[in-house]
Amino acid sequence: MSLPQLGLGTWQNTDPETCRESVRTALEMGYRHVDTAQYYGNEAAVGDGIEAADVPREEIFVASKVHAEKFGLAYDEVIEGLAATLDRLGLEYLDLLYVHWPVGNYDSAETLPAFDELVGRGRINHVGVCNFDIDLLEEAIEQLETPLFAHQVETHPLLQQGDLIAHAESRGYRHVAYSPLARGTVFDIPEVVEIADKHGVSPAQVSLAWLLSKNPVSVIPKATSEPHLRDNVDALSLDLDDRDIERIDAIGRTDRLVEREGAPWLDD
């Protein structure tokens, strides 16, 4: 199953009922990609939402992430961590498992063979990483027997990640943009607001449509209410013209909004 362009991010969606209902609503609205993580503390609620939705499991692309602080990233810890994740989600397999951050006891030579093993066991379908730089991505590609499927990293109009997107295209994996709305600051970016007014849409839709104009990018905005979920879906049908895209491309800022978690290579 390929990675849908638009997914549901669930970071900070920790109230069990709200999380369950937002996942269910999103799936029944047409979302087919749900992104969670051990670190988010909501895998059980995400699983409840998947179970409650009137959508067959085989049509849903489910991703989670193993984290150094939760189980560790040694070989056996990855295997055990995935088992716990599947138990909380109530699933037999994941479509995609990520290394959440290459910190703590992350070691490509020990961590990544566990991912290959999980693919071989049919417990995960694809391998991903998060918050890597190009050197770490190349190291992972070399170490893995399974093709690298996705790299998830903060990406939005104020942090455009052109080099990482180009690397993804050249090496044949997906670039997954988290915080694609720059934690709400897209509503204050003049270029984005003006383009939104021009098309009669929200700045959120403009930010998402701009990202989706890049290849090979998928986006995972977080939302809980039905209006926000619908607004994000509508970005799929928004066609920005070349001038719109060029204006956002030219913003030229590098505003990193997500804590680096001890990953100094992410500094500008």
Side-chain angles (χ1 to χ4, degrees):
M1 183 178 183
S2 60
L3 183 66
Q5 283 188 295
L6 175 72
L8 175 65
T10 64
W11 178 66
Q12 292 186 323
N13 193 353
T14 54
D15 177 78
E17 183 62 21
T18 300
C19 185
R20 174 188 180 278
E21 284 304 300
S22 61
V23 170
R24 180 192 64 78
T25 300
L27 290 172
E28 293 184 352
M29 187 181 290
Y31 285 73
R32 289 297 179 266
H33 174 197
V34 180
D35 182 271
T36 183
Q38 293 173 352
Y39 191 75
Y40 299 169
N42 64 6
E43 288 175 318
V46 168
D48 289 343
I50 292 170
E51 183 179 14
D54 187 22
V55 179
R57 166 66 182 97
E58 60 271 18
E59 295 183 10
I60 307 170
F61 193 102
V62 184
S64 193
K65 312 171 191 74
V66 289
H67 194 284
E69 288 183 10
K70 294 300 179 181
F71 281 87
L73 295 172
Y75 183 96
D76 290 342
E77 292 168 336
V78 171
I79 302 295
E80 293 168 8
L82 185 274
T85 281
L86 290 175
D87 183 63
R88 285 189 292 268
L89 286 165
L91 301 177
E92 294 297 317
Y93 68 93
L94 280 184
D95 296 278
L96 173 60
L97 182 67
Y98 293 97
V99 176
H100 201 158
W101 288 87
V103 296
N105 65 335
Y106 172 77
D107 179 342
S108 65
E110 181 169 1
T111 302
L112 297 178
F115 281 70
D116 286 325
E117 174 66 20
L118 290 168
V119 171
R121 294 184 189 181
R123 303 293 272 168
I124 64 175
N125 291 337
H126 300 291
V127 176
V129 297
C130 302
N131 306 299
F132 279 39
D133 66 3
I134 288 175
D135 288 342
L136 286 167
L137 286 163
E138 284 292 334
E139 179 182 86
I141 290 167
E142 181 178 349
Q143 179 64 54
L144 284 165
E145 296 179 5
T146 305
L148 181 66
F149 184 79
H151 176 218
Q152 186 178 133
V153 67
E154 180 185 355
T155 314
H156 45 72
L158 300 181
L159 185 65
Q160 299 191 7
Q161 304 286 26
D163 289 346
L164 287 173
I165 292 173
H167 188 266
E169 184 174 20
S170 69
R171 296 295 258 152
Y173 60 86
R174 298 294 297 179
H175 179 102
V176 181
Y178 73 71
S179 296
L181 306 182
R183 296 191 169 180
T185 62
V186 295
F187 293 93
D188 300 316
I189 301 171
E191 295 89 342
V192 173
V193 172
E194 290 166 11
I195 293 167
D197 290 343
K198 167 185 167 181
H199 290 277
V201 299
S202 70
Q205 288 184 44
V206 170
S207 183
L208 296 174
W210 170 77
L211 280 164
L212 293 172
S213 74
K214 312 296 181 183
N215 186 48
V217 175
S218 294
V219 295
I220 49 168
K222 64 183 183 115
T224 55
S225 70
E226 186 168 350
H228 287 157
L229 289 165
R230 176 66 63 190
D231 191 59
N232 292 341
V233 166
D234 288 345
L236 293 170
S237 58
L238 174 59
D239 291 322
L240 301 178
D241 60 40
D242 290 344
R243 176 57 181 152
D244 297 331
I245 293 170
E246 289 168 1
R247 286 193 69 195
I248 299 174
D249 286 349
I251 288 173
R253 289 167 59 178
T254 54
D255 296 9
R256 198 178 301 280
L257 305 175
V258 177
E259 184 180 349
R260 295 168 182 76
E261 296 209 8
W265 55 87
L266 293 177
D267 289 331
D268 299 322

